[in-house]
Amino acid sequence: MARFFFLLSGEHSSLPAAEVVGACEALGHTFKPVDVLDQVLVGETSAEPAVLAERLAMSWMIGFHLFTSPAFKREILDSLFSSDFLEIFNPRKTFAITVKRIKRSAQHLQTPELEKWLAEKISREVKFKTDLRNPEFELVFVLTGESCVGGVKVAEVDRKRFTARRPSRRPAFHPSTLTPVLARCMVNLARTPPGGIFLDPFCGVGGILIEAGLVGAIPVGIDIKPEMVEGAKKNLEAFGIRDYRLEVGDARKLGGMEVDAIATDPPYGRQATTAGSEVWDLYRESLHSMTEVLKPGRFLCITAPADIRETGKEAGLEVVDYHEQKVHRSLIRCFHVFRKPGSF
Ligand SMILES: C[S@@+](CC[C@H](N)C(=O)[O-])C[C@H]1O[C@@H](n2cnc3c(N)ncnc32)[C@H](O)[C@@H]1O
């Protein structure tokens, strides 16, 4: 297993790191955390970084981890030279240096000056040449809190792809749809395996289904409203997803299927309809129904306007993970990750 660092987007305090773990497990690998710093996660996995970068939504880049040191010039340089850097990357290569600062970390260091100073020292010591346009490798130093995490960039997440799929750019729009970044994060938290059957039983116009289809799963969408199912069809087709199944149906009465992952964003009992059901009855009944169709050992990621971990346990699920996100003053979105006991 190799040790990597993930530069996490700062859009949530815990979801980006949880997404990394979920994506590794979805791909059939483990992730062993080594260090959790502000917007940086260090850990060991045998997952391929380029494949991970294709899946992740809440990371900026993945680097091969060389060291974590105190955020002082000398310590950074000494740690770099006492790392495996020279053995792994043969000398006389061209390189570039990027220093990234998380929030207001290490204010005593000026990033352009540090980049220049490190570049000079490295060039002098090992005769590497800097080439900012077309470097053979890029050294990245992330200043986070009191620490500096250093390594070599191995993959970059193209976050622009998610902007290109934002709800207003899809043929069928509905205001209740999640952003593609959150939808992809949920697909990863649900450990959706490539080629597996993925279910969203409250699919709306298919925001989560699109992300599941794009990671190579077969999306199955159910919604109680025919117009939503029609919208999901248009949206899936618009993103080139051809292998899918959609049905008008009730999430409380699933059956006749076995699925490998579930991620869903049911109505919160506000603007969105709950089809005449009390919102908590809807969660309780649909969680029982989802548990029935989920294969043992597989995962379910569900949002709710409050903590429903106990409801999940009553349905026979194990709690894996829980995160809260403030949507506005009077609404919290809670992300739950459950696992059905057993093994597949
Ligand atoms: C918050 S929206 C889902 C949004 C969806 N994630 C998207 O990207 O468009 C909730 C959906 O649940 C549907 N719904 C409400 N009650 C349902 C039920 N009992 N079974 C299935 N769908 C239901 C609503 O019609 C609505 O489309």
Side-chain angles (χ1 to χ4, degrees), residues 141-159:
F141 301 85
V142 188
L143 305 173
T144 171
E146 307 287 300
S147 305
C148 174
V149 176
V152 177
K153 181 158 134 184
V154 285
E156 199 158 357
V157 176
D158 178 8
R159 301 224 330 152

Side-chain angles (χ1 to χ4, degrees), residues 167 170 172-179 183 186 200-210 222-229 232 235 247-254 263-268 272-277 282 286 303:
R170 299 177 193 155
F173 174 77
H174 194 272
S176 68
T177 201
L178 291 175
T179 63
M186 289 181 73
D200 179 355
F202 293 92
C203 73
V205 292
I208 306 176
L209 296 177
I210 294 170
I222 291 172
D223 200 284
I224 207 148
K225 288 187 167 181
E227 65 271 28
M228 291 291 191
V229 171
N235 285 342
E247 263 175 42
V248 177
D250 191 331
R252 294 165 297 183
K253 294 172 192 153
L254 302 166
T264 195
D265 178 40
Y268 298 164
T273 175
T274 55
S277 165
L282 182 67
S286 61
T303 55

Side-chain angles (χ1 to χ4, degrees), residues 35-75:
D35 215 350
V36 185
L37 301 144
D38 191 8
Q39 281 185 239
V40 181
L41 173 68
V42 182
E44 292 174 354
T45 184
S46 46
E48 185 56 49
V51 181
L52 274 178
E54 275 294 310
R55 275 196 74 120
L56 293 170
M58 290 193 169
S59 292
W60 288 105
M61 59 145 285
I62 306 171
F64 183 85
H65 180 260
L66 291 172
F67 68 88
T68 301
S69 74
F72 291 101
K73 270 161 84 172
R74 259 285 144 214
E75 268 99 334

